Amino acid sequence: MKFFHSIRIGLADIYYIWRREYRAVFQDFGVILFFFALPFVYPIVYAAVYNPEVVRDVPMVVVDNARTPLSRKLAREMDATPNARIVSYCANMDEAKRMMHEKNCYGILFIPSDFSQKIERGEQSVVSFYSDMSILLNYKGFLIALTDVTMNLGGRLQTQSLGGATQEQINVATQPIPYVSVNLYNPESGLASFLLPAILILILQQSLILGIGMLAGGIYEHHQLHLFYSGREHMHNNVLHLVIGKALCYFSLYVLCTAYILHFIPWLFKFPQIGSQVEIYSFAVPFLLSSIFFGMTLSVFVRERESSFLLFVFTSVIFLFISGITWPRYAMPEYWQWLGAIIPSTWGIEGFVRMNTAGAGIYDVRHAYTMLWILTGVYFVTTCLVYRYQIWKDKKRGHSGVLESE
Amino acid sequence: MWASIVREMRQLVSRPIYVLCMVVAPLFCCLFMFSLMHEGLPHKIPVAIVDQDHSNSSQDFTQQLGALESVDVLYKLNSFTEARELMQSGDIFGFLMIPEGFEAKATAGRQPEISFYTNNAYYIPASLLYKSFKTMSVLASGAVVRQVLLATGVEESQIMAKLQPIATDMHALGNPWISYSVYLNNSFLPGLLQLMILLVTVFSIGSEIKRSTAREWLRTADDSIIVAITGKLVPQTIIFFAMGLLYLALLYGYLHFPMQGNIWHMIAAMLLLVVSTQSFAVIIMSIAPSLRIGLSAAGLVGVLSLSIAGFSFPVPAMYLPFQAMSYVLPVRHYFLIYVDQALNGIPLYYSRWHYVALILFAVASTPLLPRLKKALMRQVYVP
């Protein structure tokens, strides 16, 4: 009977803390901003920044020293690719360089004077391209365009030299083994479709950490911690009730945010979204829980409401890189792989990208899913320990009071 | 002024959060970024081969692909479905299919088709794989043509011209290794520094209001806001500039990243980045003299800078409002100076407007100072 009694008390306590935490959240404008405004606005801003997805018509210039029909054709075909746009024909390299220095163009195509002669003599002809490297996307676009254009033109030259052959013979002669390339899951190779899923997950985790940190900082600087352990008969010494009650509050608040961020935003901006939503939601459960307990554990470092910003904002960038979305995890030094493995967003991003973007089922991401449950367990224990520690310290300082007094 | 400086220095050492945010965090960020990408490019990207031909030619092809530095053939599979499943579970980033009858068709001139698939949900590995797969496919074609040409009596010296009449010579100016480390660290580290400067500056001013010490602070400067703010920010300028110099020393000295111009131009740019960012933070605090709102704005600007300043997605390709916004971010101008002065090493003349812009940022806060002073005298804290 005693057992049932303590369960009943436990539930009552948890319910009490849960309700009380709602009040704490909604009375704190700063926390409301973190829990609602930030998850609402940031995804839209980020999606808008990267929404053009691809870079088209990057300006370039041509230095055509050959001035033959063939060299002009090469330049024209370069211009006709979606990646590049010729803004000027320059008389010499100096002029072209000046155009580049003034940021009027980001690439220079140089066609040497013996370009057509060499081809007519049956020799290989080389054209040079100089690309600005400040933005890798520009370089990549130029490289793909130039390779495709010269290969196509070269193929047609080969065809001419065959003379009188049938189309089939020509195909076999120029490209005996054709190839097709398929971009899976992000067909246009868009930057938003690649980056946004990771950012969305990170927004969920970071807004939780920041908000929970701010709440904890407020409690610490106003010496309100004792309100949680003294003044109510059955509350004392039961950290479990405190931690579960608070976590339930945050979790319930984030159900809506999660639906908005992981379901609505990809739909709104038409990002790849081919996974099963039910499975994504069930994947989100351990992700949210582990993020909440991660945030509650980290909140021990926050001594002041506002230091939450200073401590946690810059970690967003670190967490994004360590998740492996840009630089693949297997290529990182081992110690960063380990650090990444204890951050919920790493597994959250891995699982969400694969499910949402690549259409994997929850079984395919079982590794990430299991890791998130393990992290939930680990951070639940650490949360209990740091709360226990703080209460112990607080008691030693001798703060006391009544919970309802506030 | 000296009194304000001394007072600020006492505060900086008395609270661990300052040391953490001004020294530890920037240091950690740079060690993290450098060690993360120390290879420059991810090598040995795991891929699978779906070989449905099982012939000598297909095995040769697989071997040649495996010999590439960028590729690691982890799996040899028999069906598309297996490969797709490995892709979805993240074990591989791409796969290549050799169809049944590959060798027979190739010998008979019936054009067997190679197909390759890359997982473009992961951008960098996918683009590297695309390049490797494409090269290998073109080479395979070339090998066959070469055999045919040799058989028809074309001379060895003419074969390259027949195979590829127009060759290309691509010059990646300033970063011939196409190293992501060079590319990302030169922009993201100053971006992170800007973020920390914004946060710390706002925090240090806002804390005076919060702790009701603003009047005391003004008194050390004889109630002159200009002296007070200078005295407060100079110690921070020195620390942040020292961190910036450390970045420059590591980037261009220790790691030998491209530095085609004069290092002093970058040192000047770094100093201006620090000062103009501090001024930016003062502007934020003058407009919204509340610790929390100020920090929210600083965090927003600092984090969004990393995207809007156009480090990865070029500014000209963004929507117009973002293009305009990018130019009111100090780090955007620093980035463009870096491109001109370090990466490309072109005359200082072409970067002049960006230096001017940074200087303008640095002084732009002065007209707003009286407004900040009023708030400091009131010292009302909004939680």
Side-chain angles (χ1 to χ4, degrees):
Chain A
M1 274 298 105
K2 191 139 186 278
F3 176 67
F4 287 108
H5 180 67
S6 60
I7 283 196
R8 206 173 58 80
I9 287 176
L11 289 178
D13 272 358
I14 288 170
Y15 176 63
Y16 175 79
I17 293 284
W18 184 354
R19 224 181 38 195
R20 199 182 174 283
E21 195 66 18
Y22 271 142
R23 214 178 333 135
V25 169
F26 286 108
Q27 277 173 358
D28 191 328
F29 190 63
V31 177
I32 291 181
L33 279 184
F34 277 145
F35 279 0
F36 299 103
L38 195 157
F40 182 77
V41 177
Y42 268 57
I44 294 180
V45 175
Y46 271 109
V49 171
Y50 292 113
N51 203 43
E53 292 267 19
V54 286
V55 184
R56 290 285 186 239
D57 283 331
V58 182
M60 59 171 279
V61 296
V62 179
V63 179
D64 183 359
N65 283 351
R67 298 178 196 237
T68 58
L70 189 64
S71 71
R72 282 193 288 274
K73 194 172 188 173
L74 177 69
R76 259 202 321 275
E77 289 188 6
M78 198 61 193
D79 194 19
T81 62
N83 295 352
R85 176 169 56 100
I86 293 176
V87 289
S88 177
Y89 288 83
C90 296
N92 51 40
M93 277 307 276
D94 282 337
E95 195 187 331
K97 271 192 213 158
R98 212 159 33 245
M99 292 281 286
M100 200 149 168
H101 293 170
E102 279 162 2
K103 312 289 177 299
N104 292 325
C105 70
Y106 294 92
I108 303 169
L109 175 65
F110 177 78
I111 306 176
S113 52
D114 57 358
F115 172 71
S116 295
Q117 276 172 5
K118 275 194 167 172
I119 287 178
E120 279 151 20
R121 281 206 301 258
E123 290 169 27
Q124 192 175 44
S125 202
V126 183
V127 295
S128 300
F129 197 97
Y130 299 86
S131 170
D132 174 75
M133 291 301 284
S134 59
I135 304 285
L136 278 194
L137 277 180
N138 292 347
Y139 165 80
K140 198 185 144 195
F142 284 140
L143 182 65
I144 290 176
L146 186 66
T147 320
D148 287 350
V149 165
T150 52
M151 272 176 34
N152 281 336
L153 198 56
R156 267 173 285 154
L157 290 174
Q158 284 174 299
T159 314
Q160 282 169 10
S161 72
L162 287 172
T166 64
Q167 187 59 42
E168 203 174 336
Q169 284 171 318
I170 290 168
N171 288 348
V172 174
T174 55
Q175 206 181 18
I177 305 175
Y179 63 86
V180 284
S181 156
V182 183
N183 291 346
L184 286 175
Y185 312 131
N186 179 4
E188 55 178 353
S189 257
L191 209 67
S193 302
F194 136 73
L195 206 54
L196 249 286
I199 291 182
L200 293 179
I201 287 284
L202 213 57
I203 289 173
L204 277 178
Q205 175 187 287
Q206 294 302 95
S207 62
L208 267 168
I209 295 179
L210 283 163
I212 294 173
M214 182 171 256
L215 281 169
I219 290 174
Y220 189 94
E221 67 181 318
H222 296 123
H223 308 295
Q224 285 170 337
L225 189 61
H226 59 89
L227 300 177
F228 286 98
Y229 60 84
S230 68
R232 225 175 104 90
E233 216 180 324
H234 303 292
M235 285 295 302
H236 59 280
N237 262 340
N238 208 329
V239 175
L240 224 58
H241 302 167
L242 187 57
V243 171
I244 293 175
K246 284 192 175 197
L248 278 172
C249 163
Y250 307 140
F251 187 82
S252 57
L253 288 178
Y254 260 69
V255 170
L256 204 67
C257 289
T258 309
Y260 170 77
I261 286 186
L262 300 188
H263 198 160
F264 179 71
I265 288 286
W267 171 81
L268 183 68
F269 286 93
K270 301 197 170 56
F271 296 137
Q273 191 178 28
I274 58 173
S276 142
Q277 288 302 331
V278 179
E279 292 186 17
I280 290 177
Y281 280 119
S282 34
F283 180 81
V285 171
F287 169 68
L288 275 185
L289 286 175
S290 53
S291 299
I292 288 169
F293 291 128
F294 183 52
M296 288 172 84
T297 305
L298 287 181
S299 72
V300 70
F301 299 110
V302 187
R303 300 289 171 84
E304 202 180 336
R305 288 168 52 78
E306 291 83 4
S307 33
S308 195
F309 286 97
L310 277 80
L311 291 173
F312 301 136
V313 169
F314 85 96
T315 58
S316 313
V317 184
I318 306 279
F319 291 164
L320 185 69
F321 274 104
I322 216 168
S323 76
I325 187 73
T326 45
W327 192 265
R329 259 170 72 74
Y330 81 88
M332 291 177 193
E334 211 157 308
Y335 43 92
W336 294 134
Q337 289 188 30
W338 276 99
L339 184 70
I342 61 168
I343 314 288
S345 58
T346 303
W347 304 111
I349 288 171
E350 190 172 311
F352 181 63
V353 167
R354 283 186 194 145
M355 294 174 85
N356 175 71
T357 314
I362 201 153
Y363 181 75
D364 299 310
V365 298
R366 58 191 176 281
H367 179 59
Y369 188 66
T370 325
M371 284 307 292
L372 283 174
W373 277 117
I374 293 173
L375 288 183
T376 305
V378 170
Y379 287 125
F380 176 71
V381 174
T382 54
T383 305
C384 290
L385 290 176
V386 299
Y387 269 59
R388 190 51 156 291
Y389 166 75
Q390 281 198 315
I391 289 174
W392 170 78
K393 224 172 56 179
D394 202 53
K395 274 183 181 164
K396 250 180 49 175
R397 291 211 186 100
H399 297 299
S400 65
V402 191
L403 191 53
E404 276 75 10
S405 73
E406 209 189 334
Chain B
M1 165 108 63
W2 186 244
S4 307
I5 293 179
V6 171
R7 181 173 174 279
E8 179 64 17
M9 289 202 291
R10 281 218 187 90
Q11 291 202 343
L12 291 184
V13 292
S14 69
R15 299 177 67 182
I17 191 145
Y18 283 121
V19 184
L20 203 70
C21 294
M22 301 175 80
V23 181
V24 180
L27 218 58
F28 177 81
C29 288
C30 92
L31 292 180
F32 171 75
M33 297 288 277
F34 287 151
S35 53
L36 190 75
M37 294 180 250
H38 70 103
E39 286 180 14
L41 277 174
H43 298 308
K44 295 277 161 219
I45 302 167
V47 300
I49 289 260
V50 182
D51 183 358
Q52 294 175 322
D53 193 38
H54 302 289
S55 62
N56 281 336
S57 310
S58 71
Q59 271 160 20
D60 275 356
F61 188 86
T62 310
Q63 243 167 31
Q64 279 165 20
L65 187 70
L68 290 180
E69 195 189 13
S70 56
V71 168
D72 183 12
V73 183
L74 271 191
Y75 300 92
K76 288 176 185 151
L77 310 167
N78 292 314
S79 77
F80 178 86
T81 314
E82 280 175 282
R84 196 207 71 216
E85 278 166 5
L86 280 175
M87 193 103 125
Q88 282 179 323
S89 64
D91 293 307
I92 53 171
F93 289 91
F95 59 91
L96 186 140
M97 271 184 76
I98 302 175
E100 208 179 323
F102 172 76
E103 191 180 57
K105 279 185 180 171
T107 337
R110 276 183 291 141
Q111 291 192 298
E113 196 175 64
I114 293 176
S115 45
F116 49 84
Y117 300 77
T118 46
N119 184 352
N120 284 45
Y122 293 88
Y123 201 85
I124 292 178
S127 15
L128 292 172
L129 276 185
Y130 170 79
K131 221 166 125 185
S132 310
F133 282 157
K134 189 173 167 177
T135 311
M136 287 312 295
S137 309
V138 171
L139 284 179
S141 250
V144 175
V145 177
R146 198 185 130 89
Q147 286 302 323
V148 175
L149 288 176
L150 280 176
T152 52
V154 177
E155 277 184 42
E156 186 84 43
S157 59
Q158 288 180 323
I159 281 187
M160 267 326 279
K162 292 256 180 212
L163 271 180
Q164 196 188 6
I166 305 172
T168 55
D169 184 13
M170 191 77 179
H171 300 267
L173 298 174
N175 184 1
W177 325 273
I178 323 191
S179 154
Y180 279 85
S181 189
V182 169
Y183 171 54
L184 289 174
N185 285 324
N186 274 304
S187 50
F188 270 81
L189 286 177
L192 280 162
L193 194 66
Q194 180 191 263
L195 171 67
M196 297 319 287
I197 298 173
L198 283 172
L199 288 171
V200 169
T201 312
V202 166
F203 185 76
S204 69
I205 298 173
S207 290
E208 303 280 2
I209 299 178
K210 179 178 178 181
R211 301 185 160 197
S212 306
T213 51
R215 283 184 205 159
E216 178 203 316
W217 164 37
L218 282 175
R219 232 173 292 130
T220 60
D222 293 326
D223 280 339
S224 155
I225 180 73
I226 295 195
V227 175
I229 209 89
T230 317
K232 186 172 200 52
L233 296 186
V234 160
Q236 297 180 18
T237 312
I238 293 170
I239 297 174
F240 279 123
F241 183 49
M243 296 313 294
L245 285 181
L246 182 72
Y247 279 5
L248 295 180
L250 288 172
L251 286 169
Y252 309 118
Y254 180 69
L255 293 169
H256 295 288
F257 282 0
M259 178 69 230
Q260 321 273 7
N262 188 332
I263 185 73
W264 287 102
H265 299 170
M266 288 313 292
I267 293 175
M270 183 56 87
L271 180 63
L272 285 172
L273 173 70
V274 173
V275 178
S276 59
T277 307
Q278 288 181 309
S279 169
F280 197 104
V282 173
I283 294 174
I284 292 178
M285 278 312 274
S286 306
I287 294 173
S290 142
L291 182 50
R292 187 174 47 73
I293 296 173
L295 283 171
S296 303
L300 182 79
V301 172
V303 171
L304 280 182
S305 283
L306 299 173
S307 303
I308 297 182
F311 300 154
S312 45
F313 194 69
V315 167
M318 288 178 195
Y319 296 138
L320 218 53
F322 293 115
Q323 293 192 21
M325 259 193 259
S326 79
Y327 286 95
V328 291
L329 303 169
V331 78
R332 167 79 182 153
H333 296 281
Y334 174 88
F335 173 66
L336 291 174
I337 292 175
Y338 148 72
V339 171
D340 285 350
Q341 298 306 316
L343 187 68
N344 292 330
I346 66 177
L348 200 58
Y349 172 80
Y350 294 103
S351 317
R352 65 200 184 282
W353 290 117
H354 303 301
Y355 284 102
V356 171
L358 287 178
I359 294 170
L360 283 180
F361 273 122
V363 293
S365 55
T366 18
L368 288 165
L369 286 178
R371 200 184 137 81
L372 179 64
K373 187 178 176 184
K374 255 185 231 156
L376 291 174
M377 293 305 281
R378 264 185 284 127
Q379 50 187 24
V380 182
Y381 170 61
V382 187

